[in-house]
Amino acid sequence: DAKTTQPTSMDCAEGRAANLPCNHSTISGNEYVYWYRQIHSQGPQYIIHGLKNNETNEMASLIITEDRKSSTLILPHATLRDTAVYYCIVRVAGVHEAGGTSYGKLTFGQGTILTVHP
Amino acid sequence: DSGVTQTPKHLITATGQRVTLRCSPRSGDLSVYWYQQSLDQGLQFLIQYYNGEERAKGNILERFSAQQFPDLHSELNLSSLELGDSALYFCASSVVSGGASGELFFGEGSRLTVL
């Protein structure tokens, strides 16, 4: 899986947009970009993922550059509860098998510690 | 609630002992993953099972072993415990379907303290 680079920490004011960057310059054509977050000592939580198009769901938006070498996770209106470690992960697509689709492991880096302050 | 259940939530034991951590994946999920998170190492992938078979292995020590049973629950066995094995152990499972996103659903973890 391609390696990712994220800033160690970021701050954001409550109610403002939080923009978390991620570099993945060695990404391959069959690799997706996933974002997870981990709120203090809880299990990591899936946020969003994408291949090459921008994606949006109820939690966040994912902007992937045209060359796919970097991406940005956007939390449009950050709240105090968004304070967490955010992980950008690149991972190959699933493998279709007799029982369904098998997905490989996620390799977590150090992530970005996002602190949302009042 | 992710739907992944891990037991026990907390466990305190002594060096040299053996413990078993249990994971029940989301209903219908065939893949189970185990991760270790210690203060100085971050989230480390240990091992993955798919429908009862080992699929991938990470930096899992020889003192550790895992298996996935026919009912798809999984157990992680840690033996000859050392102080450095103190960590949070997470289990995750993934959706299995042709159009699935491949997201992993994590349990709340088992906190192991070795004294």
Side-chain angles (χ1 to χ4, degrees), chain A residues 12-93:
Chain A
C12 178
E14 189 176 20
R16 306 296 291 269
N19 297 285
L20 292 89
C22 178
N23 286 319
H24 32 78
S25 59
T26 61
I27 191 170
S28 300
N30 66 342
E31 288 180 316
Y32 285 75
V33 179
Y34 284 82
W35 283 84
Y36 280 73
R37 74 180 181 182
Q38 186 177 23
I39 297 171
H40 182 62
S41 293
Q42 296 180 18
Q45 177 190 24
Y46 166 84
I47 300 173
I48 198 168
H49 79 288
L51 182 63
K52 54 183 177 182
N53 297 322
N54 298 337
E55 302 288 344
T56 295
N57 63 19
E58 64 278 5
M59 289 183 68
S61 295
L62 174 60
I63 309 297
I64 302 174
T65 58
E66 192 169 344
D67 63 7
R68 302 210 319 126
K69 293 184 177 182
S70 65
S71 60
T72 301
L73 177 74
I74 301 172
L75 307 179
H77 305 288
T79 70
L80 299 179
R81 287 179 295 181
D82 291 322
T83 292
V85 180
Y86 287 77
Y87 298 97
C88 170
I89 303 164
V90 174
R91 178 228 224 170
V92 296

Side-chain angles (χ1 to χ4, degrees), chain A residues 34 36 38 91 97 103 106, chain B residues 33 35 55 100-102 104:
Chain A
Y34 284 82
Y36 280 73
Q38 186 177 23
R91 178 228 224 170
E97 306 188 43
Y103 292 90
L106 292 171
Chain B
Y33 312 74
Y35 284 83
R55 176 56 54 87
S101 67
L104 264 59

Side-chain angles (χ1 to χ4, degrees), chain B residues 6-9 21-22 87-90 108-112:
Chain B
Q6 290 188 247
T7 57
K9 287 185 169 44
L21 309 180
R22 180 187 170 101
L88 267 169
Y89 291 85
F90 289 105
E108 289 305 306
S110 293
R111 182 175 294 279
L112 173 65

Side-chain angles (χ1 to χ4, degrees), chain B residues 1-111:
Chain B
D1 182 6
S2 67
V4 177
T5 304
Q6 290 188 247
T7 57
K9 287 185 169 44
H10 301 276
L11 189 57
I12 301 174
T13 189
T15 55
Q17 294 298 306
R18 170 190 172 94
V19 298
T20 297
L21 309 180
R22 180 187 170 101
C23 171
S24 294
R26 283 163 38 103
S27 177
D29 286 359
L30 297 182
S31 273
V32 169
Y33 312 74
W34 285 97
Y35 284 83
Q36 179 193 55
Q37 186 172 36
S38 54
L39 283 176
D40 58 347
Q41 291 292 327
L43 273 161
Q44 298 289 314
F45 168 73
L46 295 178
I47 198 164
Q48 176 196 0
Y49 280 83
Y50 176 77
N51 203 20
E53 296 185 0
E54 182 182 304
R55 176 56 54 87
K57 185 178 281 190
N59 297 323
I60 187 168
L61 300 172
E62 286 191 10
R63 300 183 286 109
F64 295 1
S65 65
Q67 56 183 326
Q68 185 179 27
F69 295 87
D71 67 353
L72 301 177
H73 91 271
S74 178
E75 293 181 355
L76 179 66
N77 300 296
L78 315 174
S79 62
S80 303
L81 285 168
E82 303 175 358
L83 297 177
D85 297 328
S86 295
L88 267 169
Y89 291 85
F90 289 105
C91 170
S93 68
S94 63
V95 176
V96 178
S97 72
S101 67
E103 67 181 278
L104 264 59
F105 294 87
F106 283 81
E108 289 305 306
S110 293
R111 182 175 294 279

